[in-house]
Amino acid sequence: MSLELKEVQFMKKNRNKDAGSIFVKYKKGIVQALNGIVYAIEKELNLLVIMFFILLILIFCFIFPVTIPELLAIVISSFCLMAFEMVNTSVEALTDLVTTKDHPLAKIAKDSASGAVFLFFLIFIVVLGIVFVPKIMAIF
């Protein structure tokens, strides 16, 4: 048996994933999710910048009244952008766990995750444009 297979079997036995009732499992999962969100907010500058601009955008929603579907599109795309940034953070952390040296595969992993955030950012900008440009144009 290879060393990698032994490690996987060891981790499966010792993860303790299936211990406890369904409520204990869900509580543990929620606590871990909240820990991840708190970590990202405390340690990731990009997420703080994103959250700051989302706050400004929500203020714009009061200045330029938006419809419920428009607000829903803004809120969903805002949460998706933050989620993409958190996935990017996890890819970077896992890559650093594997190697802190410059490696072409590590670069691909980090650049691809960052690229996914950027692509969704472009979608986010399009949503904002669709919602706010007509409202701003109506003023002028």
Side-chain angles (χ1 to χ4, degrees):
M1 190 178 321
S2 73
L3 181 60
E4 289 176 5
L5 184 57
K6 286 181 182 177
E7 288 176 5
V8 169
Q9 288 175 342
F10 174 79
M11 290 184 336
K12 281 183 180 178
K13 280 195 289 185
N14 293 304
R15 276 183 66 193
N16 204 17
K17 183 178 177 182
D18 297 325
S21 71
I22 191 165
F23 298 111
V24 170
K25 289 182 209 178
Y26 278 106
K27 179 184 174 198
K28 184 178 178 183
I30 290 169
V31 168
Q32 290 169 341
L34 293 174
N35 286 341
I37 293 168
V38 168
Y39 172 85
I41 291 170
E42 289 177 347
K43 305 291 184 188
E44 291 300 318
L45 179 61
N46 286 347
L47 188 61
L48 284 176
V49 170
I50 290 168
M51 292 174 78
F52 172 75
F53 280 107
I54 289 171
L55 181 63
L56 289 179
I57 291 162
L58 291 176
I59 292 170
F60 263 74
C61 288
F62 289 107
I63 296 170
F64 301 102
V66 295
T67 65
I68 297 295
E70 290 171 335
L71 182 62
L72 190 59
I74 291 169
V75 169
I76 290 172
S77 60
S78 297
F79 275 94
C80 287
L81 183 59
M82 290 187 292
F84 268 85
E85 183 59 41
M86 290 178 66
V87 169
N88 180 43
T89 298
S90 66
V91 168
E92 289 178 353
L94 283 170
T95 303
D96 290 343
L97 177 66
V98 173
T99 182
T100 55
K101 298 177 183 175
D102 287 338
H103 191 282
L105 293 177
K107 181 174 176 21
I108 290 170
K110 288 183 173 190
D111 289 354
S112 297
S114 182
V117 173
F118 183 71
L119 287 175
F120 196 84
F121 174 74
L122 294 177
I123 292 170
F124 183 65
I125 295 300
V126 168
V127 168
L128 294 177
I130 290 169
V131 171
F132 289 114
V133 167
K135 295 176 187 322
I136 293 170
M137 296 296 284
I139 292 174
F140 299 105

